[in-house]
Amino acid sequence: MSRVLVLGAGELGLPILQSLSHLASTSPPSHPTITLLIRPTTLSSPSPSKSRDIAHLRDLGIAFLAADIATATAKELATHFKDFDIIVSCTGFAGGPGTQLKLAHAVCEAGVGHYYPWQFGVDYDIIGPDAANGIFREQCEVRRFLRGQEKTKWTIVSTGMFTSFLFEPFFGVVEGLETAGSAHEVVVRALGNWENKVTVTTPEDIGKVVSRLVLKDQRTGVLFTAGDTVSYRRLADLVEAQIGRKVLREVWSLDSLRAELQANPENQILKYRCLFAEAKGVSWHHASTVNMELNIKTTDVQGFLHSKGPAL
């Protein structure tokens, strides 16, 4: 029987928990157990919404382990981790600098058999530690640490950008879509140039892939998923088809983005824009992904837009 611990129940953690629960319920006689590590304050929160979330997870058969990743040391976390065979980190970057390395050290110190670190993003091996003012330096350090030890098996799932992030107004690639039903203009911007591409996957699809890997496949190394890989030109075409009219097309050149970042070196969104404008390690062919190999259906950009209706 596999004992699986998931760290975090946010935008990615929740769909992974839901997929794990569904797959576990159809996996006799192994009956893997799924546990969520959660802050004690969240578990005892009087908030109605948090209470509903916890009740929903209990209904899915999820158990709970109370601990605070932000304040615990690696040694303290290792004492919590030692009773589990597989750990999936869905903490994101909310824990602040050093959290991902701390988790990796704790997992290996605890002797956990298999670790899925928070690497659900771009190809950090290609990007390297110094790109965009070192925005992913810690992610590269986590890979180096895991490759340098032999105690714990590990699997990295590179997913590209979360599909919804591509349409966030603050990111600036698609602007005005949330009010597309009105007379407001919709703008689609290319980062770098129109032929640059970006790979995207929805959290729900990542959940389906990760649950299959955790409970059925358990292969190791760096894997890739993709709901879609699109150029910014194709993205603009898809948005126009969705709203039924032309969009304003603009290019944010790499030079202009680098100049902005130089003037505002700590701006995280500018770092992301520069990284995607450089177009290295941020896209890959859909045909080479593990979801294609495992025949897991995923949502492409067109399907994502259709699911949201005329406006996001």
Side-chain angles (χ1 to χ4, degrees):
M1 178 179 72
S2 294
R3 299 163 298 174
V4 181
L5 177 66
V6 176
L7 313 179
E11 184 179 8
L12 180 60
L14 184 57
I16 284 180
L17 284 163
Q18 291 170 328
S19 292
L20 283 170
S21 171
H22 173 74
L23 198 57
S25 68
T26 60
S27 302
S30 60
H31 295 297
T33 63
I34 314 298
T35 301
L36 168 65
L37 187 144
I38 190 171
R39 287 191 185 99
T41 52
T42 301
L43 198 56
S44 60
S45 172
S47 164
S49 62
K50 284 187 171 59
S51 296
R52 284 193 298 271
D53 291 343
I54 290 169
H56 169 63
L57 291 170
R58 289 192 195 279
D59 289 342
L60 293 176
I62 307 296
F64 296 92
L65 170 63
D68 192 336
I69 289 172
T71 59
T73 65
K75 188 173 289 292
E76 289 168 340
L77 289 172
T79 63
H80 292 297
F81 294 169
K82 63 182 176 60
D83 294 326
F84 296 92
D85 305 302
I86 302 169
I87 292 182
V88 183
S89 177
C90 301
T91 56
F93 299 111
T99 299
Q100 303 308 321
L101 269 175
K102 178 172 70 173
L103 289 173
H105 281 277
V107 165
C108 293
E109 184 176 337
V112 174
H114 202 145
Y115 183 41
Y116 294 77
W118 175 264
Q119 297 263 321
F120 302 101
V122 292
D123 188 342
Y124 304 117
D125 287 332
I126 292 179
I127 289 169
D130 299 321
N133 287 10
I135 187 172
F136 292 130
R137 182 169 288 117
E138 185 175 351
Q139 297 299 80
C140 294
E141 291 174 0
V142 168
R143 292 192 179 201
R144 184 164 57 250
F145 170 74
L146 291 174
R147 285 169 170 147
Q149 58 81 46
E150 298 180 350
K151 182 181 293 186
T152 297
K153 295 188 296 182
W154 52 270
T155 302
I156 286 170
V157 184
S158 299
T159 62
M161 187 189 296
F162 286 4
T163 308
S164 59
F165 192 83
L166 191 59
F167 298 93
E168 289 288 355
F170 63 79
F171 190 44
V173 171
V174 180
E175 188 175 302
L177 193 57
E178 67 279 5
T179 57
S182 67
H184 290 90
E185 193 163 43
V186 176
V187 183
V188 177
R189 299 184 178 96
L191 299 181
N193 63 66
W194 288 110
E195 305 314 316
N196 280 352
K197 293 182 178 181
V198 57
T199 291
V200 296
T201 315
T202 68
E204 292 75 19
D205 290 339
I206 298 169
K208 289 187 288 187
V209 172
V210 170
S211 62
R212 180 82 70 86
L213 292 170
V214 168
L215 297 182
K216 298 289 188 182
D217 193 274
Q218 297 188 356
R219 69 184 74 184
T220 59
V222 179
L223 308 177
F224 294 86
T225 70
D228 206 346
T229 296
V230 295
S231 67
Y232 292 103
R233 187 182 305 281
R234 171 66 175 157
L235 174 64
D237 292 343
L238 289 170
V239 172
E240 285 183 344
Q242 176 69 13
I243 64 175
R245 66 177 192 270
K246 292 292 184 180
V247 301
L248 178 63
R249 300 186 183 214
E250 298 178 349
V251 176
W252 280 347
S253 71
L254 181 56
D255 287 343
S256 67
L257 290 171
R258 282 175 172 166
E260 281 191 74
L261 183 58
Q262 187 173 9
N264 301 276
E266 300 306 315
N267 187 301
Q268 293 295 106
I269 296 302
L270 287 178
K271 290 180 182 180
Y272 277 109
R273 289 173 183 167
C274 277
L275 187 80
F276 283 92
E278 289 171 356
K280 297 176 181 177
V282 299
S283 68
W284 40 86
H285 292 297
H286 194 271
S288 64
T289 60
V290 68
N291 49 282
M292 285 289 286
E293 182 182 341
L294 297 176
N295 198 29
I296 297 173
K297 185 178 180 181
T298 56
T299 303
D300 60 14
V301 170
Q302 183 178 46
F304 177 83
L305 285 168
H306 285 173
S307 72
K308 299 301 179 181
L312 294 182

